[in-house]
Amino acid sequence: MGRPSIGTRKNYRHGRWQTWFLVLAFVASTQTVAAEEGADLNSQRIGGGNPGIGKQQSDAGRCQECHGSDGMSNDERIPNHAGQYAGYLIKQLDNFQAGERKHPTMTIMAEDLTEADKADIAAYFASQKVMEGEPGSDTSAKNLFLNGDSARDLPACVSCHGENGKGRVADNVTYPVLGGQRRVYLRSQLVSWKLGERANSPGGVMNKVAKALTDDEMTALANYLAGL
Ligand code: HEC
Ligand code: HEC
């Protein structure tokens, strides 16, 4: 990935060529930086687990039966994991194990996973092509997603969940991918946050956000996000 050697420019006799060479060298070096940033983002997404082992473990552990062999679930109530941040998936599994997040099936499914299982399975799903939905007809929540509502002290979803809800990692907090997630699952989580049944977000931030939303807005947000 080294830069082209500047020394080769003495092969060109004319200043014009030297200029062109420098331009090309600059373009090549910025492309290298972009590629490195892409690689960083990818390793941040996948984390320290082994995706190859995670593929076997998620098959043996029956995770793929519900969450899909490629991380795309075939049931609206079951979340996709494709391209979801490993750090987020591991945190949720930790939370199920500790009883900080409750679900009849997932509490049992997470019970016996070791630290290595969690990291490897999360790495496998995170390494799959990032989830994407079919654009829907209901985009009425787009404004709320992009701008929030200062009158209600409601921050914009995009400020945490990133462009098109594709998630990000900042200051050691992992903001999950929401864009392309299952519609019914998204709505159910917003309702759970609002009722306080799910209360595992840092500082209770998602409970605060969801409490400010009406039922119709939760439906519209789920419709919009599922199509991204
Ligand atoms: C019988 C179906 C089923 C199986 C098998 C299953 N899951 Fe799940 N999983 C679910 C459902 C349903 C949810 C949504 C829970 C909720 O509504 O809170 C879920 C949620 C999750 C979440 C939280 C995702 C998010 O976006 O917050 C993770 C992580 C997860 N499952 C991992 C696993 C792993 C790892 C395995 C295998 C060891 C597994 N699941 C097996 C049905 C299943
Ligand atoms: C201040 C930051 C912040 C804002 C603003 C925010 N979120 Fe979140 N959200 C989070 C964090 C952090 C999590 C992960 C919680 C956890 O670790 O369990 C989360 C989780 C979620 C989840 C659960 C995803 C899953 O896979 O289970 C949904 C759904 C969600 N947010 C929707 C929204 C919507 C819709 C908005 C805008 C109305 C919004 N969020 C605004 C920080 C934020």
Side-chain angles (χ1 to χ4, degrees):
M1 290 261 216
R3 286 156 176 241
S5 162
I6 273 305
T8 56
R9 91 184 129 129
K10 69 173 174 283
N11 297 334
Y12 300 101
R13 293 247 183 90
H14 303 291
R16 192 157 61 105
W17 286 111
Q18 290 182 6
T19 310
W20 270 112
F21 181 83
L22 289 174
V23 168
L24 288 174
F26 175 74
V27 168
S29 70
T30 52
Q31 279 172 349
T32 306
V33 169
E36 277 164 8
E37 275 173 3
D40 275 359
L41 208 76
N42 226 20
S43 64
Q44 203 181 34
R45 188 184 295 277
I46 293 170
N50 181 323
I53 297 174
K55 182 179 184 177
Q56 291 166 3
Q57 293 296 82
S58 59
D59 187 16
R62 307 185 59 183
C63 322
Q64 296 184 15
E65 284 176 28
C66 288
H67 294 286
S69 56
D70 59 353
M72 294 299 284
S73 89
N74 47 23
D75 186 311
E76 281 287 339
R77 293 164 300 180
I78 302 177
N80 296 328
H81 294 336
Q84 184 60 278
Y85 286 87
Y88 172 78
L89 294 173
I90 293 167
K91 176 182 180 288
Q92 301 310 305
L93 294 167
D94 289 343
N95 290 168
F96 284 124
Q97 289 183 330
E100 287 156 8
R101 179 173 173 185
K102 293 190 175 71
H103 184 267
T105 310
M106 275 314 302
T107 301
I108 294 166
M109 292 310 303
E111 213 167 44
D112 293 332
L113 299 176
T114 65
E115 297 300 310
D117 291 338
K118 288 184 276 187
D120 294 339
I121 292 173
Y124 172 64
F125 285 122
S127 69
Q128 301 298 300
K129 183 176 173 286
V130 182
M131 60 183 92
E132 240 174 67
E134 299 272 321
S137 50
D138 182 5
T139 55
S140 59
K142 186 175 180 180
N143 183 42
L144 199 55
F145 178 80
L146 291 177
N147 301 309
D149 182 0
S150 54
R152 278 183 279 171
D153 221 8
L154 184 62
C157 319
V158 71
S159 67
C160 288
H161 289 284
E163 201 184 334
N164 287 322
K166 295 301 174 185
R168 67 199 182 92
V169 181
D171 303 329
N172 291 326
V173 180
T174 312
Y175 300 96
V177 177
L178 306 176
Q181 186 54 279
R182 296 283 174 219
R183 188 178 51 82
V184 174
Y185 173 75
L186 284 170
R187 191 175 190 289
S188 76
Q189 298 309 300
L190 289 172
V191 172
S192 299
W193 295 119
K194 182 168 179 162
L195 297 176
E197 285 168 2
R198 181 172 170 186
N200 63 335
S201 62
V205 62
M206 277 310 302
N207 298 104
K208 200 159 162 265
V209 166
K211 280 196 175 93
L213 300 170
T214 66
D215 276 8
D216 286 349
E217 284 172 336
M218 291 192 286
T219 303
L221 280 162
N223 290 346
Y224 172 64
L225 291 167
L228 294 177

